[in-house]
Amino acid sequence: MNILVVGNGGREHALAWKLAQSPHATHVYVAPGNAGTEKEEKVSNINIAATDILHLINFAKDNEIELTVVGPEVPLSLGIVDQFEAHGLNCLGPKQQCAQLESSKVFSKNFMAKYNIPTARYQNFKDSQKAKAYVDEMDSPIVIKASGLAAGKGVIIAQTKEQAYHTIEDMLEGNKFGDAGCEIVIEEFLDGEEASFIVLCDGTHALAMASSQDHKARDNGDQGPNTGGMGAYSPAPIVTRDVHDKVMHTIIQPVLDGMKNEGEVYKGFLYAGLMIMPNGEIKTLEYNCRFGDPETQPIMMRLESDLVELAFAALNEELDGYEVSWSNKTALGVVMAAGGYPDQCKTGDIITGLDQDDGVNTKIFHASTKRQDCSIFTNGGRVLCVVALGEHVEDAYHNAYDLVNKITWNNEYHRTDIGKRAFVK
Ligand code: AMP
Ligand code: GLY
């Protein structure tokens, strides 16, 4: 069958690569894709933006696409799944109403409150004076979030009340995040260790993907501004059997049940950002209605089951009791970014050292890259995610960084401590 992947990041490269390995896949198209996706066997790029839903539907009809997998949140928030389904096309992802769990933090926090899902104490504000008065009642640090989509950059952790006031002014008066920031969530700061908990849902049942941990801050030691993610590894030892069961019961299943209660069914990937606190409590930091980037890259390296079959099991509501098989190895991915990311950064630098992965134990997933003739150039903030497998996390770390050290461009930037917190001390 022909398959369409919507998006152009490292996540979409990993999804397209894995889908193309299925014997069910005749050809995988990626819209719009990147310089990495177009190089894969059985994969080609098509020049349609991820948000151009009308053209994507026409393409799917003209090219007998039997399965569409949506990577990023923006088309999901625009209702791509609702529109594909209205044309009788299979499209894996949540519908627009469910996608609000990610596209509106206000919706998401209110949903969590309504269905007793553990999360940080919060209030929503449109008015800056009221927001500041709430800050006055809180201890710092204070977490301030733009409600709308902001590519992982709309969360500010204010260390002082003054900083919190400035952030409130920036968002509510200064329009710093545009419409995404015209309503904000202010919540208590939670201390603990984060993990990414990603499941595939069929409307009633959720099937957990392998556990993983992202590194959201830009710099070593979790310092610097928040980014979309600077590296990830899987499995995450902090997600023990106990944690897993508790999360499925208190954080995942209530979403499926709650959505049904709201008159909708949740199908597709669901990502809960967790904070696991020293006292064993687990709280939900956020929901994303898609696979994580860069978590997808190491998780796909470990997936031994057929991703096309898995996608159809979700679409056909057959996930109950579905067995999924994972490599016992650890996979670790390091994001290589353009200097300056997550702020404005230079693009168009020529990348050297690509093509040194073997596609089994090591894999260079492209994110923002562009080919011109025979050369590949940087084309945005997060450029590559270099993933390696290892017997354990230290091994995977060394294998990944060996490869990272062979790749370069002008002003390249990466963290050097991805996965180190999972090393045996
Ligand atoms: P979010 O987009 O809501 O997941 O926030 C992005 C990142 O900000 C998270 O991965 C955490 O590192 C941090 N963060 C968000 N909310 C909180 C909180 N209540 N307490 C501590 N850190 C937080
Ligand atoms: N890695 C975090 C995210 O995908 O939102």
Side-chain angles (χ1 to χ4, degrees), residues 11 214 216 228-229 271 286 288 290-295 382:
R11 166 184 46 216
D214 184 14
K216 292 248 170 72
Y271 167 140
E286 63 163 346
N288 296 320
R290 52 175 171 79
F291 227 117
D293 189 346
E295 291 93 328
R382 291 193 292 179

Side-chain angles (χ1 to χ4, degrees), residues 105 109 119-121 141-145 152-157 187-192 194 214-217 226-227 271 273-275 284-288:
K105 287 195 191 287
K109 294 292 286 192
T119 188
R121 268 185 301 114
I142 296 154
V143 182
I144 302 174
K145 303 182 174 186
K153 296 163 203 165
V155 175
I156 306 293
I157 298 178
E187 65 180 35
E188 70 174 320
F189 178 80
L190 301 174
D191 211 357
E194 284 183 57
D214 184 14
H215 296 60
K216 292 248 170 72
N226 258 331
T227 69
Y271 167 140
L274 307 178
M275 186 66 90
T284 315
L285 290 177
E286 63 163 346
Y287 288 111
N288 296 320

Side-chain angles (χ1 to χ4, degrees), residues 98-342:
C98 297
Q100 288 179 92
L101 274 183
E102 176 167 7
S103 63
S104 163
K105 287 195 191 287
V106 167
F107 174 93
S108 181
K109 294 292 286 192
N110 291 345
F111 183 93
M112 287 190 251
K114 181 168 176 187
Y115 293 103
N116 292 317
I117 298 170
T119 188
R121 268 185 301 114
Y122 75 102
Q123 274 192 36
N124 307 323
F125 296 96
K126 286 184 177 162
D127 178 282
S128 64
Q129 291 315 316
K130 288 184 182 150
K132 286 179 190 171
Y134 185 62
V135 161
D136 286 336
E137 296 167 19
M138 298 178 83
D139 295 325
S140 36
I142 296 154
V143 182
I144 302 174
K145 303 182 174 186
S147 178
L149 294 177
K153 296 163 203 165
V155 175
I156 306 293
I157 298 178
Q159 296 302 331
T160 61
K161 294 199 177 186
E162 284 64 40
Q163 210 187 331
Y165 297 151
H166 284 304
T167 304
I168 290 167
E169 284 163 13
D170 279 351
M171 288 190 188
L172 291 180
E173 294 167 23
N175 207 28
K176 178 151 183 209
F177 290 95
D179 283 352
C182 70
E183 188 165 15
I184 60 174
V185 176
I186 301 183
E187 65 180 35
E188 70 174 320
F189 178 80
L190 301 174
D191 211 357
E193 192 167 340
E194 284 183 57
S196 309
F197 199 95
I198 301 166
V199 299
L200 180 59
C201 303
D202 70 1
T204 307
H205 307 102
L207 175 71
M209 302 288 103
S211 64
S212 60
Q213 201 171 41
D214 184 14
H215 296 60
K216 292 248 170 72
R218 185 190 59 198
D219 305 327
N220 280 354
D222 295 329
Q223 302 297 306
N226 258 331
T227 69
M230 294 301 287
Y233 63 98
S234 168
I238 187 153
V239 183
T240 58
R241 189 75 236 171
D242 255 18
V243 168
H244 175 280
D245 292 348
K246 206 162 156 187
V247 172
M248 288 297 277
H249 186 66
T250 62
I251 293 175
I252 299 296
Q253 197 57 43
V255 171
L256 285 113
D257 299 343
M259 282 301 174
K260 271 197 179 164
N261 193 51
E262 302 291 320
E264 194 46 274
V265 287
Y266 195 106
K267 279 193 187 179
F269 295 108
L270 172 66
Y271 167 140
L274 307 178
M275 186 66 90
I276 302 170
M277 306 185 21
N279 65 3
E281 260 189 283
I282 307 172
K283 295 205 175 172
T284 315
L285 290 177
E286 63 163 346
Y287 288 111
N288 296 320
C289 53
R290 52 175 171 79
F291 227 117
D293 189 346
E295 291 93 328
T296 310
Q297 294 85 315
I299 291 176
M300 286 301 126
M301 283 288 274
R302 292 187 58 221
L303 178 64
E304 291 173 341
S305 303
D306 185 309
L307 185 55
V308 175
E309 290 178 10
L310 210 52
F312 275 99
L315 287 166
N316 297 333
E317 307 183 5
E318 291 166 351
L319 282 182
D320 194 18
Y322 200 94
E323 296 279 338
V324 61
S325 159
W326 303 101
S327 158
N328 286 329
K329 293 186 176 169
T330 294
L332 185 140
V334 179
V335 169
M336 300 181 73
Y341 175 74

Side-chain angles (χ1 to χ4, degrees), residues 5-66:
V5 173
V6 177
N8 65 350
R11 166 184 46 216
E12 289 75 23
H13 186 180
L15 291 171
W17 170 76
K18 195 72 210 171
L19 289 163
Q21 286 172 18
S22 165
H24 301 291
T26 310
H27 199 82
V28 179
Y29 296 92
V30 190
N34 57 41
T37 51
E38 69 175 357
K39 261 186 16 197
E40 296 293 342
E41 233 174 281
K42 294 205 287 186
V43 182
S44 50
N45 290 349
I46 52 166
N47 190 17
I48 304 177
T51 49
D52 189 351
I53 298 174
L54 214 63
H55 280 104
L56 291 171
I57 288 173
N58 289 338
F59 179 87
K61 285 184 170 170
D62 292 346
N63 293 276
E64 294 174 346
I65 300 291
E66 288 180 54

